[in-house]
Structure formats: C-alpha cells, structure tokens
C-alpha cells in the first residue's frame, strides 16, 4: 500500500488526472477499475475520479510496489549543468517565481535536446528544496509568458498548479501590465497607440504586420512612448497590449522604426555597424517591468505591485554610449 498526501502545489487537480500523472504508463481504464474495487481510495472513501483534490487530502493506493513502478515510467530530472550562470530570481513565494531571463535562453523547449528556462527553474527549485523528485511525478513548474530566445527580461512561472493556472489566466485575459524597453532606429517624439494585422509564416518563423485587415490575420495592439532620443536613435518604453510572437519587433518595423540588432525585421546596415563595434548579435529588447492589479489567492502577494528586471550589460552599454545612459 502507498499513501500520498496532496500538497499545496497539487491542489485543484482532478483525481483521475493526478493519477494519470503519477502512473503515466497505465491505461485510463485501470484507474477507474481500481477505484470501483476500492483499491484506490480518497480520504478513506470510494472515489469516482472527478473529485477536485485539496491540500491535505490522503490518497491510498492498495497496489503492490511492482504494479506502481511498472506503470510509473521514469521521472527525468534534467539539471542544467551546461549553463554556468545562476538563475536571476526577482521574486519568489509559495506559488510564483519571477525571473530575469538572459539573452540566448529559450523560454520553453523547441526540441527534446534543448535546455530552456523551464529546466533552469526546475533545477533551481530542486536545489532549493522547494521541489522534490517525487513532486515531479505529478507536477512540473512552467512559464506563463514566453519571450523570444534573444529577448531578455521578466518571465513569470508557476511553482504550484494554482499559481500556474492563475498566472496563465491573467496573461490570457491581459490582466497584467507588460512593459518593455527597446532601442530603435529613428527619433520618435510622441506617445502612440498603434493597431495592426499580423500574419505568420511558420516555415520562416516570421510574421508580417499590415495596417489593414488581411485574411487569417490577427489584430495586434502596441503602445509606446519615447524615453529619450538622440542622433537617429530612440529608447522606447513599449506597453504590449496583445501578446503575439515577434509582435513588438515586427510592429515597430512596420512603423519604420526597427529594433537595433534585429536582423530578421531590422536594418542590416545599422546592425552590421553596431555588431562590428559592440559585438551585438541580438535585438535590443528587454521585458523590464511587470505590473499586477489587486488580486486574490493564490496571487494576493503580488497585488498592486510592480516588478523590474535589470537590462543586460550590453544593452545598457550601447544605450549609454549612444544616448547618455538609462532613464527610469
């Protein structure tokens, strides 16, 4: 017999979904058969599988260890030993982790062999004791907003199922304020709210933004204000209202103000010159501020707060030399 006590991070899951994670190699019908026979019971009572689990619930599996092991598969713990940099944690509580993602790191895996921010977070939580290998059988931390590989800045992750679900819903419903800093070509003097119609080319991993409706295009909204400009460059604060892939990069390029360092949507001549001088190989785009409204459990600790992420050193160096330093 094996006894499992449901933790805070697992709360809110349906029992049958929890069991499927715990014994991921078992056929679905196995669990319902075991529940009918009371070989799997919840809080000492017969279960149907649709019960929502709560922290402190006691699940008993009247099964042999051989049976459990047979259906459990292998939990892989991938420590990101290839990366020497420590995870830059901005904020952490029981349900939420906010980190400053560096340039060059994927938010999530694109291929099985990739090392991504999710693996970095899993490694961090295992090392800190916030997560155990046993926990990974039924819960995996995950990021709730994604940044391009070569975009740096704040990424929010869920440490519990409740935190993961609440953060994901907030981003989906645009409850949170997402603000970026970027350096663009051309001098901009006015705050502007722009709309566009975005279409994707999956084969090229590229998008196009037009100022008129197109078939299968998605409406995107971007707002920006100039922080300062000088000598043909502007440091912008961008409020990302919708959140489509490459939106800021493509939308500003469509306005005639491509991001510095962006070879996909930007100005090659300008980028080549700054690459030669500074070694710049990626766009100067940084998710620097995340704002939260008043909220309830499990995000009450974030209510009304603003979080900031320091820009990469190279971003600050180029901005400082071109325009005299960062401003708040």
């Amino acid at each position: 017999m094996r006894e499992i006590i449901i933790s805070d991070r697992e709360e809110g899951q349906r029992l049958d979904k929890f069991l499927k994670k715990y014994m991921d190699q078992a056929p679905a019908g196995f669990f319902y058969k075991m529940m009918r026979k009371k070989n799997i019971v919840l809080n000492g009572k017969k279960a149907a599988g649709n019960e929502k689990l709560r922290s402190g619930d006691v699940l008993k599996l009247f099964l042999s260890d051989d049976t459990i092991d047979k259906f459990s598969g292998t939990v892989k713990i991938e420590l990101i030993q290839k990366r020497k940099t420590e995870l830059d944690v901005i904020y952490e509580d029981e349900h939420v982790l906010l980190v400053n993602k560096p340039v060059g790191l994927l938010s999530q895996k694109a291929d099985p062999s990739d090392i991504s921010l999710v693996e970095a977070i899993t490694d961090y939580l295992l090392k800190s004791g916030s997560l155990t290998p046993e926990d990974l059988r039924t819960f995996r931390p995950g990021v709730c907003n994604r940044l391009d590989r070569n975009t740096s800045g704040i990424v929010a992750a869920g440490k519990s199922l409740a935190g993961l679900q609440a953060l994901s819903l907030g981003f989906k419903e645009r409850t949170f304020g997402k603000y970026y800093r970027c350096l663009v070509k051309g001098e901009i003097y006015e705050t502007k709210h722009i709309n566009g119609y975005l279409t994707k080319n999956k084969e090229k991993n590229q998008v196009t933004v037009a100022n008129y409706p197109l078939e299968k295009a998605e409406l995107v909204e971007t707002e920006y204000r100039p922080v300062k400009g000088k000598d043909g460059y502007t440091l912008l604060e961008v409020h990302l209202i919708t959140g489509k892939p490459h939106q800021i990069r493509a939308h500003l390029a469509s306005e005639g103000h491509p991001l510095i360092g962006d070879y996909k949507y930007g100005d090659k001549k300008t980028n080549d010159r700054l690459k030669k001088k500074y070694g710049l190989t990626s766009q100067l785009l940084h998710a620097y501020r995340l704002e939260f409204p008043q909220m309830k459990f499990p995000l009450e600790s974030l209510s009304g707060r603003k979080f900031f992420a320091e820009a990469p050193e190279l971003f600050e160096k180029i901005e400082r030399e071109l325009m005299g330093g960062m401003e708040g």
Side-chain angles (χ1 to χ4, degrees), residues 15 18 22 47 82 171 199 229 246 254 304 309:
L15 172 58
F18 175 90
Y22 195 82
K82 297 178 183 178
F171 282 110
T199 54
H246 301 189
S254 74

Side-chain angles (χ1 to χ4, degrees), residues 16-225:
D16 52 4
K17 293 185 182 296
F18 175 90
L19 289 169
K20 182 57 181 174
K21 292 177 184 176
Y22 195 82
M23 291 183 279
D24 60 348
Q25 303 300 308
F30 172 79
F31 303 118
Y32 298 107
K33 181 178 179 181
M34 292 300 100
M35 286 186 280
R36 285 197 303 270
K37 290 186 172 184
K38 297 185 73 172
N39 287 336
I40 297 177
V41 297
L42 180 63
N43 297 325
K45 298 179 181 180
K46 186 176 181 179
N50 60 354
E51 295 86 355
K52 285 288 185 73
L53 295 175
R54 302 174 113 187
S55 179
D57 280 349
V58 178
L59 183 62
K60 290 184 178 180
L61 311 179
F62 292 98
L63 305 169
S64 68
D65 287 340
D66 287 343
T67 298
I68 295 172
D69 293 340
K70 172 186 173 184
F71 289 140
S72 292
T74 303
V75 176
K76 295 180 181 179
I77 304 170
E78 299 161 321
L79 304 180
I80 58 162
Q81 297 168 344
K82 297 178 183 178
R83 296 192 65 85
K84 302 299 182 184
T85 54
E86 293 291 326
L87 196 65
D88 185 0
V89 177
I90 298 170
Y91 171 84
E92 182 176 6
D93 62 30
E94 186 178 359
H95 300 284
V96 173
L97 187 69
L98 303 181
V99 300
N100 187 0
K101 186 189 84 67
V103 169
L105 182 63
L106 287 166
S107 295
Q108 292 179 312
K109 284 187 176 187
D111 296 306
S113 60
D114 288 336
I115 299 297
S116 73
L117 183 60
V118 172
E119 280 68 56
I121 288 170
T122 302
D123 182 44
Y124 167 80
L125 295 176
L126 286 167
K127 288 179 177 178
S128 69
S130 298
L131 193 67
T132 68
E134 182 68 14
D135 292 330
L136 293 178
R137 296 174 70 117
T138 55
F139 174 77
R140 291 273 180 154
V143 297
C144 303
N145 63 309
R146 287 180 290 179
L147 301 179
D148 294 339
R149 182 197 288 269
N150 290 320
T151 298
S152 57
I154 300 179
V155 175
K159 289 177 58 178
S160 68
L161 181 64
L164 193 61
Q165 290 175 336
L167 284 170
S168 297
L169 182 63
F171 282 110
K172 181 180 179 181
E173 296 185 345
R174 306 176 194 172
T175 303
F176 311 141
K178 299 175 291 183
Y179 295 86
Y180 292 68
R181 286 282 173 93
C182 60
L183 192 62
V184 301
K185 182 182 177 182
E187 293 184 37
I188 301 172
Y189 302 99
E190 296 179 348
T191 296
K192 197 171 181 182
H193 183 123
I194 55 177
N195 295 326
Y197 297 88
L198 181 146
T199 54
K200 304 175 186 177
N201 185 324
K202 292 184 179 180
E203 291 182 2
K204 294 183 178 181
N205 187 29
Q206 194 165 354
V207 303
T208 302
V209 177
N211 60 6
Y212 50 87
L214 294 170
E215 185 179 357
K216 296 183 179 179
E218 298 179 275
L219 177 66
V220 292
E221 293 183 70
T222 310
E223 188 175 55
Y224 60 78
R225 72 170 183 89

